Amino acid sequence: MTKSNTLEQSLKHASHVCRVINVMLTVLLIGAGLIWLTALVMSFAQLGAAGFDGMSLVAYIVLYGVLVLGVLAMLKLIFKDAVNSETPFTEKQADRLRFIAFLALMFALLEFAFTLGVTFEVVPRIGYDVTVNRGSTEPVISINVGVLVFSAIMYSLSAIFRYAALLQQLSDETV
């Protein structure tokens, strides 16, 4: 088997994997969207019921859904381009990765703000039995370090992709 045949087989396999991931992201995006809309409708239905004053919860659900669906949509666009045999090292892909990093950072800040509000709320008005801080009686603020690390990794990848795109552009211009 020649080197070019091995390379073609590897490219074919990578394309197949990207196609499968793209389909899985489509299913995940649709499923997450349906779950988000269901939670949103249920929250809006509860707003006027039995003194439930949960606008902060509704706002959290709206923002949470937008951020999660935004990340899934950006990932789908990245893999869609790969399925269409476009080079991954473009500034467009770098911008998408940087946007994912931004959305993840906003998600961490949203969780921080929500736990801050729930923890120090004098009269709980959310309407559900909420266990905050893993049942701790002391007020503690939660910071999702995992999402912050994910955001940093995505930002780093965007810088690497941008650098690779510029190198590719330089190489194309010299040839």
Side-chain angles (χ1 to χ4, degrees):
M1 191 178 284
T2 65
K3 187 175 182 178
S4 65
N5 286 344
T6 304
L7 181 61
E8 286 178 21
Q9 286 179 340
S10 295
L11 282 171
K12 194 175 193 179
H13 178 69
S15 177
H16 175 71
V17 168
C18 288
R19 185 170 279 109
V20 168
I21 291 172
N22 189 41
V23 168
M24 289 172 39
L25 283 169
T26 302
V27 170
L28 190 59
L29 188 60
I30 291 169
L34 291 174
I35 290 170
W36 176 61
L37 287 174
T38 302
L40 200 55
V41 167
M42 290 172 57
S43 296
F44 273 122
Q46 291 293 320
L47 273 179
F52 177 69
D53 181 26
M55 274 313 289
S56 62
L57 180 63
V58 172
Y60 177 79
I61 290 172
V62 167
L63 293 173
Y64 183 91
V66 167
L67 293 172
V68 168
L69 293 175
V71 168
L72 290 174
M74 286 295 110
L75 287 172
K76 180 166 176 23
L77 288 174
I78 289 170
F79 282 97
K80 179 182 172 198
D81 284 356
V83 166
N84 293 334
S85 300
E86 293 183 27
T87 179
F89 297 115
T90 62
E91 291 192 54
K92 177 174 66 171
Q93 298 294 37
D95 289 340
R96 288 175 178 165
L97 289 169
R98 187 172 53 191
F99 190 62
I100 290 171
F102 171 76
L103 291 175
L105 180 62
M106 291 301 104
F107 180 76
L109 292 175
L110 174 67
E111 282 191 343
F112 173 75
F114 188 74
T115 59
L116 182 69
V118 169
T119 300
F120 292 109
E121 192 171 27
V122 178
V123 179
R125 296 175 299 163
I126 291 182
Y128 300 104
D129 289 332
V130 178
T131 303
V132 180
N133 306 323
R134 295 177 180 83
S136 172
T137 57
E138 298 297 319
V140 179
I141 304 300
S142 297
I143 298 174
N144 193 337
V145 177
V147 174
L148 289 174
V149 169
F150 174 75
S151 178
I153 291 170
M154 288 293 109
Y155 187 78
S156 300
L157 280 175
S158 77
I160 292 169
F161 270 61
R162 185 169 312 284
Y163 180 67
L166 294 173
L167 284 177
Q168 181 70 42
Q169 185 179 0
L170 181 65
S171 173
D172 291 346
E173 289 174 0
T174 57
V175 170

